[in-house]
Structures are given as structure tokens and as C-alpha cells.
Amino acid sequence: MAGAYRFGFSEFTTWPWSFKKDVEHYKKHGADCIEVCEFKLAHNDYGEQLQHVEKHGLTVASVQAKIHSVFVDSMAPTPKDPGDRIDAIAEAIEKSAPYLPKRT
């Protein structure tokens, strides 16, 4: 989907739902994009699951990594070493990049 987004959901807003349920219901409620939360991806399976997003008429607007800060916080207490945390963030970016909209 090209152009500006009209409306989307972050998976944090439907915390108890599965990734599959999020994707199936967001479009029904008027969304055209989704912020994916890495913790909801089974075994970090970006490929198959993020392709599921497109099949339901949504675009991945962003991916919230499980490790989302350089320093320890209450949502992600491990790993403790900032270098390991940066590596985890970089890995999430690398895995999700092929599924994000291309900039023109």
C-alpha cells in the first residue's frame, strides 16, 4: 500500500490476543497498518507471519523489538549488557526490514 497511512493499531493495544487474531481483526476495524510487537511472533518467525499481514490487507508500519532500549527496563530485564541489547535490537531490525514498506 503506497501513500500515507490512515489508521492503524499497535499490537500492544491488544496484549492478550495472538498475532494471528490481531491481523484478522484489525482490518475489520478499519486499520490499514499495524505496529508488530516482536514478542507476539512465534519463534521470531518474521517471514511467514509478516506475509500473513499483507494477505489481510494491512501494511507493517513498524516493528517493536522485544529488546527496545539499550538499558535494562521493567519490560525487558535481560540481557543486562548494553552491547547484547544493541545486538538484539539490530537483529530485530535486520529480520523485519524486508517486510517494511520501501521508502521512495
Side-chain angles (χ1 to χ4, degrees):
M1 175 182 294
Y5 299 124
R6 293 180 308 113
F7 177 70
F9 288 98
S10 168
E11 285 193 290
F12 278 116
T13 65
T14 51
W15 192 278
W17 287 3
S18 68
F19 175 83
K20 182 179 178 186
K21 186 172 182 178
D22 289 342
V23 172
E24 291 171 351
H25 284 81
Y26 289 174
K27 186 67 176 181
K28 292 177 189 175
H29 294 286
D32 58 9
C33 62
I34 179 175
E35 177 187 43
V36 173
C37 290
E38 186 181 29
F39 76 89
K40 286 193 174 188
L41 297 177
H43 309 290
N44 294 330
D45 182 5
Y46 284 74
E48 185 176 327
Q49 290 185 289
L50 293 185
Q51 288 173 5
H52 188 64
V53 170
E54 190 174 317
K55 289 177 188 172
H56 279 81
L58 298 170
T59 300
V60 177
S62 64
V63 176
Q64 185 64 244
K66 282 191 278 188
I67 306 299
H68 53 271
S69 68
V70 175
F71 301 105
V72 172
D73 64 13
S74 61
M75 291 184 68
T78 59
K80 295 197 182 296
D81 181 78
D84 293 339
R85 296 177 72 82
I86 290 169
D87 289 345
I89 294 167
E91 182 179 346
I93 292 168
E94 289 173 9
K95 286 181 175 180
S96 62
Y99 306 98
L100 296 173
K102 306 298 181 240
R103 296 184 72 118
T104 57

